[in-house]
Amino acid sequence: MTLIGATMVSKISAGPDQVHLRLLATTDLHAHLLPFDYFTDTPTSGVGLAQLADLIRAARKNAPNTLLFDNGDTLQGTPLADATFAEVLPNGDPNPMIVAMNGLGFDAATLGNHDFDFGLDYLQMSLSAARFQLTLANVHQPDGSPFLPERTLLKRRVTDGSGREHELQVGITGVVPPQVAAWSKPSVDGKLRFSDMTMAAATQVAALRDEGADVVVVLAHSGLGQKDAAAGAENTASQIAALPGVDAVFAGHTHDLFSHPGEAGRAPLVQPGAYGSHLGLIDLILEPARDENRWSVKPAQSATPSLPARVQDQDPQSTHLLSDLPDVRSQVDEAHRITRTHVDRPLGHSAVPLETLFSTIAPCAATQVIADAQRAAALPLIAAHPELSDLPILSAAAPFRAGGRAGPENYTDIPAGDLKLRHAADLYIYPNSLCVLRINGAGLLQWLERSGSIYNQIDPTATEPQKLINHSFAPYNFDRITGLTYQIDVSQPPQTDPEGHHVDEAASRIRNLRFEDGRAVGPADEMLIVTNSYRAAGGGHFPSAAQAIMVKTSSISVRDAVAKYIAQSEQSLAPTVQPSFSLTPLGGVDLLFETGPAAEKHKNRQAQLGLRAIEEDEDKQGFTPFLLTL
């Protein structure tokens, strides 16, 4: 056995006529290049492509026939991406993520949905510097021509167990969720067409086989999904792994960790987390087939190795990372410097902490600022439609960094004091545009039911504390809607699972839904709701949002609206936190509420919410547990 990071991976020994081919992949890096948290301006550990380079080198060391891929969502996600968009590329310098990928010797890559967030010009400028192959099977221009090559055939010299060389042809294709057409509509509408992932992959896999591919790999920027997923589904990696002719699949998009070694009728399938926390690994053994011009491909193992957590006590510029690539290191250091300067611009001041550590059990100041900023930016847009003047105006805001699959460090925790641009980016991490929808009470109720699925179902008769939060649910899908008051009854089952699939359409958790003036919200009542372009398109599996009437879209991003709102505040921010949602009392049931370790320093907030510290739970996975009596 060979130790790679924190994961034991078996060393593969190829026979005299066998070829051991190792496939490595990153996914959902989201512009995490260095192990540095630009939101807090401090070094971190366990993330970043530069830190993952150590693991890539280790995986290559005992496998001379190795290919390295990236599975998309690479160019957006941290202030490094924002600074690259605003300053690096406009200055004529290459995208630092692409620079690092070139230096590390990536062989091929596909795109993810967030790679379209900054628009096609930014995307194409970034990709123009790539020295690796790019492929995307299910995205085409209006005339039918592919946006990127639909497939690519890599020719590589490999050695077998006896040291003899062979030429191997490795076919690569990639796919991205077709929902990008809606999620990034301002950027792609009329410019690109998106089709079903499984069908597109099947077509390109067959073409690669016809062109002589010995091995076929699919880079599926898609979660595992259901094997019977309908056409056009967002997550179809499991379907793709069952396609004839596929030898290996790397999944992504949902930030999960998954590894399946493959079996009859199903190729090995690996999903290596996000942010550079893990590396995807699939080992294949190739043996000569009866046809001497072909190889028989057999899976040997699959894994998601990770580096042990390391505490970085200095700025990444002074660490060893990428030190063997001095040209790359120099460009990365400069991008890092530009980013820190970019996000250090002053905006204003806050009289109160802005944190999301308790945002899933009670309304908080952080989401109130987002909701207020959205509403302020939308009012001039709504004023242009006098026929809408009598409709209530609501605002939907989610705590983007509030635990979930990203773990216990994934929380916003901005202390009272001066606010800078990095704090606005911390509150709102995506470049989504502002939208105003017209929706009725029935649609609003479904919206809230989906958000309320973040909670586990609680048994009021149980005597032992039960975990309240389902950490598999992405917190950016927990919309709190201001302009309303409502309760969430967690003793009832959720309508959906974390991925948005309906598990009980008749389930109902939302109680006492009222406008802020106390009027009950009826199914036919109409209102306006300010939200973002991702949610307006149904992103996060909110079909009622997609079915609502679009009143107005704006070129301004919600994050820019938040920054402007902070900068234009004449006094220190002290948001009045609207009551909006609360949890229905259950007669004194003890619940286990798990949040980030930073919650321990917010004693006043703990007291306000009636939280009681308890002994650490062995199964807490790094979260800090509290008791909450409901």
Side-chain angles (χ1 to χ4, degrees):
M1 302 288 281
T2 300
L3 181 63
I4 299 183
T7 300
M8 297 297 289
V9 177
S10 300
K11 184 175 181 179
I12 304 298
S13 298
D17 295 324
Q18 295 179 328
V19 170
H20 167 213
L21 180 65
R22 172 160 286 175
L23 308 175
L24 306 175
T26 56
T27 192
D28 295 272
L29 291 169
H30 283 286
H32 285 76
L33 177 49
L34 294 170
F36 193 85
D37 186 341
Y38 293 103
F39 299 126
T40 60
D41 198 41
T42 56
T44 185
S45 65
V47 299
L49 178 59
Q51 190 163 301
L52 198 61
D54 289 344
L55 194 53
I56 293 170
R57 278 190 288 268
R60 282 171 166 163
K61 187 174 182 180
N62 60 9
N65 307 316
T66 300
L67 295 173
L68 175 61
F69 309 116
D70 181 72
N71 203 26
D73 269 10
T74 309
L75 306 176
Q76 180 280 333
T78 69
L80 175 74
D82 303 332
T84 299
F85 174 75
E87 299 188 39
V88 175
L89 260 63
N91 288 339
D93 295 321
N95 191 304
M97 292 298 295
I98 300 296
V99 168
M101 292 170 70
N102 287 338
L104 291 172
F106 277 74
D107 294 280
T110 194
L111 300 182
N113 52 294
H114 284 293
D115 293 321
F116 293 86
D117 281 358
F118 289 113
L120 297 185
D121 289 344
Y122 170 83
L123 176 56
Q124 290 170 322
M125 287 177 64
S126 295
L127 297 181
S128 66
R131 297 203 299 265
F132 45 87
Q133 297 298 308
L134 295 157
T135 178
L136 191 57
N138 66 323
V139 181
H140 295 80
Q141 300 181 80
D143 64 1
S145 59
F147 176 62
L148 292 176
E150 296 169 304
R151 61 187 180 276
T152 187
L153 199 59
L154 305 178
K155 295 183 179 180
R156 296 291 188 267
R157 301 296 296 180
V158 296
T159 57
D160 62 22
S162 62
R164 290 177 298 180
E165 284 197 348
H166 305 267
E167 183 175 84
L168 194 68
Q169 297 194 93
V170 182
I172 314 294
T173 190
V175 290
V176 68
Q179 285 76 14
V180 177
W183 298 339
S184 297
K185 186 175 181 178
S187 300
V188 305
D189 192 32
K191 300 175 183 178
L192 295 178
R193 296 175 180 173
F194 296 78
S195 60
D196 178 75
M197 290 185 287
T198 304
M199 291 182 63
T203 298
Q204 299 310 317
V205 168
L208 286 165
R209 289 297 185 185
D210 289 343
E211 293 167 2
D214 299 301
V215 177
V216 173
V217 181
V218 180
L219 306 177
H221 188 81
S222 174
L224 303 180
Q226 298 172 327
K227 293 181 181 179
D228 59 349
E234 178 182 345
N235 296 303
T236 65
S238 293
Q239 281 188 341
I240 292 171
L243 291 174
V246 175
D247 294 306
V249 177
F250 289 104
H253 184 52
T254 56
H255 297 192
D256 287 323
L257 274 176
F258 180 82
S259 175
H260 189 284
E263 59 191 9
R266 184 184 182 189
L269 174 60
V270 166
Q271 184 174 2
Y275 309 149
S277 62
H278 294 75
L279 181 67
L281 181 149
I282 295 175
D283 283 316
L284 302 175
I285 292 294
L286 282 60
E287 297 178 337
R290 292 183 179 180
D291 180 348
E292 295 181 358
N293 296 321
R294 294 283 183 176
W295 294 88
S296 173
V297 181
K298 298 179 181 179
Q301 69 174 334
S302 63
T304 55
S306 65
L307 282 171
R310 299 184 304 195
V311 176
Q312 300 286 352
D313 56 2
Q314 351 175 24
D315 189 289
Q317 288 175 293
S318 62
T319 71
H320 74 286
L321 299 174
L322 301 177
S323 59
D324 58 332
L325 302 168
D327 290 342
V328 172
R329 182 76 239 192
S330 175
Q331 294 181 75
V332 168
D333 283 347
E334 178 63 9
H336 176 63
R337 182 194 65 77
I338 290 172
T339 301
R340 293 185 71 188
T341 301
H342 176 77
V343 299
D344 202 44
R345 288 184 291 173
L347 288 180
H349 189 274
S350 179
V352 297
L354 302 174
E355 45 77 17
T356 60
L357 292 153
F358 312 96
S359 59
T360 55
I361 59 170
C364 68
T367 53
Q368 189 68 49
V369 168
I370 298 171
D372 290 348
Q374 288 182 161
R375 195 176 193 279
L379 285 177
L381 306 178
I382 297 170
H385 297 269
E387 72 278 9
L388 304 176
S389 60
D390 292 335
L391 295 180
I393 301 173
L394 314 178
S395 187
F400 290 98
R401 297 192 339 120
R405 288 183 294 247
E409 302 302 322
N410 183 45
Y411 288 86
T412 292
D413 187 17
I414 303 169
D418 291 337
L419 296 176
K420 300 182 178 182
L421 185 59
R422 61 183 170 88
H423 296 126
D426 192 348
L427 288 168
Y428 204 100
I429 63 177
Y430 298 109
N432 302 323
S433 56
L434 187 79
C435 294
V436 181
L437 304 178
R438 183 172 184 165
I439 195 169
N440 62 23
L444 176 69
L445 182 61
Q446 291 305 307
W447 189 317
L448 293 173
E449 289 288 356
R450 168 64 181 142
S451 291
S453 295
I454 193 172
Y455 304 106
N456 293 315
Q457 184 176 4
I458 300 302
D459 178 1
T461 66
T463 56
E464 294 296 322
Q466 302 163 75
K467 290 187 178 183
L468 177 61
I469 303 298
N470 185 341
H471 295 302
S472 296
F473 188 102
Y476 58 76
N477 286 329
F478 181 66
D479 279 351
R480 167 202 169 199
I481 301 183
T482 62
L484 301 170
T485 60
Y486 53 98
Q487 292 180 318
I488 305 172
D489 185 353
V490 295
S491 70
Q492 299 302 306
Q495 277 197 2
T496 69
D497 66 13
E499 300 305 324
H501 303 121
H502 275 93
V503 292
D504 189 347
E505 293 191 28
S508 175
R509 285 184 159 182
I510 305 303
R511 302 282 184 266
N512 302 320
L513 178 58
R514 298 180 179 275
F515 293 109
E516 59 185 348
D517 63 6
R519 291 182 297 121
V521 177
D525 288 338
E526 292 202 330
M527 62 221 74
L528 302 177
I529 185 165
V530 189
T531 185
N532 61 69
S533 52
Y534 173 74
R535 185 70 79 238
H541 297 273
F542 284 74
S544 65
Q547 294 160 7
I549 299 171
M550 180 69 74
V551 171
K552 194 71 177 180
T553 59
S554 173
S555 59
I556 187 174
S557 73
V558 177
R559 183 164 53 197
D560 287 345
V562 171
K564 182 179 179 180
Y565 180 78
I566 294 171
Q568 292 185 344
S569 296
E570 296 180 358
Q571 299 177 334
S572 294
L573 285 181
T576 301
V577 180
Q578 296 181 22
S580 52
F581 80 93
S582 61
L583 301 180
T584 302
L586 299 179
V589 176
D590 282 339
L591 305 178
L592 190 66
F593 170 62
E594 298 168 314
T595 184
E600 294 178 350
K601 64 185 180 184
H602 293 274
K603 301 297 185 183
N604 289 341
R605 190 73 170 133
Q606 293 176 34
Q608 289 174 355
L609 299 173
L611 297 175
R612 310 189 304 282
I614 59 174
E615 292 294 327
E616 293 190 353
D617 180 3
E618 293 181 359
D619 190 34
K620 66 174 184 152
Q621 298 179 318
F623 290 94
T624 296
F626 292 90
L627 276 182
L628 171 66
T629 301
L630 202 60

